[in-house]
Amino acid sequence: MTLQEYDYARESPSKLAASCLLLALTMKNLGGWTPTLEYYSGYCSQDLHSLVKRLNFLLTYQPRDKLKAVRTKYSHRVFFEVAKVTPMDMLKLEEILKSC
């Protein structure tokens, strides 16, 4: 989804990838940011919190009328229908991130 948003172009690709991973782990209740992830990514959990919230906001309030190609592509079962995953409630996400 960030491919279509100019605001995310200024973010480093590694930080964007790490934030996406943290959001995915949180959304699927697969645990938090482990010391191993911190070591190999170079980012601690707190470094990613603001970007994780922005990413969840992007999923929550995305325009539905234009630029549908990426959403359509990742809605297919070949890509595990990740575009259909329901975003997290912003307050719940904030609560979880505070506990990290």
Side-chain angles (χ1 to χ4, degrees):
M1 299 300 298
T2 60
L3 295 172
Q4 302 174 56
E5 299 293 329
Y6 184 73
D7 293 339
Y8 293 92
R10 66 177 177 213
E11 299 292 344
S12 75
S14 63
K15 187 173 185 180
L16 188 58
S19 298
C20 288
L21 178 59
L22 179 56
L23 179 58
L25 290 171
T26 306
M27 290 172 83
K28 293 294 191 176
N29 293 321
L30 296 174
W33 202 246
T34 65
T36 303
L37 289 170
E38 183 175 335
Y39 176 80
Y40 284 107
S41 71
Y43 297 105
C44 69
S45 163
Q46 286 74 24
D47 296 340
L48 306 174
H49 287 183
S50 64
L51 188 51
V52 167
K53 288 184 239 178
R54 284 178 47 213
L55 289 166
N56 192 60
F57 185 82
L58 176 66
L59 292 173
T60 305
Y61 298 104
Q62 56 190 312
R64 302 258 191 254
D65 55 343
K66 296 182 181 178
L67 304 173
K68 294 181 182 180
V70 172
R71 185 163 192 50
T72 302
K73 177 180 179 177
Y74 289 100
S75 293
H76 195 272
R77 63 186 163 109
V78 171
F79 295 103
F80 303 103
E81 299 177 333
V82 295
K84 295 179 181 179
V85 173
T86 309
M88 289 191 71
D89 177 64
M90 295 298 274
L91 294 174
K92 184 177 179 182
L93 178 62
E94 181 79 34
E95 207 174 280
I96 292 170
L97 290 175
K98 281 183 183 178
S99 68
C100 294

